[in-house]
Structure formats: C-alpha cells, structure tokens
Amino acid sequence: MQSVSINTTTTTGQLWTGRIMSGLVIAFLIFDGGIKLAPLAIVTETMQQLGYSGSQELARGLGVMTLVIALLYALPRTSLLGAILLTGLLGGAMATHLRVGSPLFSHLLFGLYLGLLAWGGLYLRDPRLRRLFPVRLDA
C-alpha cells in the first residue's frame, strides 16, 4: 500500500485569495445584518412578500443572528462553526425563495453562490479544512 502525503501548507496567494473571498462574504453579511437592525420599511415589506410577518422584532432578530454568524465566520478560531451556521442560514433563504417562486439565477441560487464563496474562501485560508477534505490532483 502506497502512502500519500497531503500538503496542507498555505501559500501567500492561497491565503490572500481566501481572505478576499471571505472578506466579500463578511461584507455582505454585515450589510445584510445591519439593514435588518435599522427600522427600514423595505426590510419589513420584503419579509412580508416572502411570507413572514414583517415585524421589526423578527427583522432585528434575523439581523443579530446574521451579524453573529458573520463574526463567527470572520474569527479564525470559530470560522468553521461560522461556515456551518452560514450554510444553514443560506439554506433557509434558498428554501424561502423556492417556496415563493423567486427567479432562479438571481434570487434562489444566490445562497448557493454565497455559500460557495464562503466555503472556498475558508478552504483556501484554513489548512485544517484542507486536511479534513484534501483535494488530490494526481489520482
């Protein structure tokens, strides 16, 4: 049996590409969470269009949850937990858009796009994740 060595060192290019990808996700989550904290009519109106109560309390709760997930994802020690929680949040958003018949590529799949960007960024910047899920190009 042949032993395979997995190289999990992070190059400077990988690290910065991962940071930029993750930074875009974090910036979006801060914006999304932040607008839900302010009493903006567009937020509650959109929530009602998506089938939710549209109350300011619900919007604020979602905003706080989104900001907590963004913080967990941004911090290296908790980034994996943040990515897992973000995946759940995005799955719920996708299910909501599916239920109301939102456009496929611009609304429904936006959660998928953001999730791929989040996990790709984390994969590039975190050698622990690359050890857990190694990509072998020689097989």
Side-chain angles (χ1 to χ4, degrees):
M1 175 144 225
Q2 187 178 27
S3 173
V4 177
S5 170
I6 305 295
N7 185 2
T8 57
T9 59
T10 305
T11 66
T12 303
Q14 281 178 317
L15 181 62
W16 279 102
T17 301
R19 285 178 178 170
I20 291 168
M21 291 169 69
S22 294
L24 290 171
V25 172
I26 293 164
F28 172 78
L29 292 174
I30 290 172
F31 170 77
D32 187 54
I35 66 168
K36 288 183 174 101
L37 294 180
L40 299 176
I42 188 68
V43 172
T44 54
E45 289 168 10
T46 302
M47 288 176 60
Q48 287 175 335
Q49 291 170 359
L50 294 173
Y52 295 102
S53 71
S55 72
Q56 290 182 359
E57 294 78 20
L58 179 59
R60 285 191 178 114
L62 289 171
V64 168
M65 181 177 65
T66 302
L67 292 173
V68 167
I69 290 171
L71 179 65
L72 290 171
Y73 179 73
L75 297 173
R77 290 181 63 110
T78 58
S79 59
L80 186 58
L81 174 61
I84 292 168
L85 294 174
L86 177 59
T87 302
L89 179 69
L90 296 174
M94 290 177 65
T96 295
H97 283 290
L98 178 65
R99 186 179 53 78
V100 298
S102 294
L104 178 66
F105 294 105
S106 62
H107 291 68
L108 178 61
L109 292 180
F110 184 77
L112 176 66
Y113 307 147
L114 197 62
L116 290 173
L117 195 61
W119 280 102
L122 184 58
Y123 190 85
L124 289 174
R125 67 185 171 102
D126 192 337
R128 297 171 302 169
L129 188 57
R130 289 195 308 278
R131 273 194 303 274
L132 187 60
F133 297 106
V135 174
R136 292 185 42 201
L137 301 175
D138 61 346

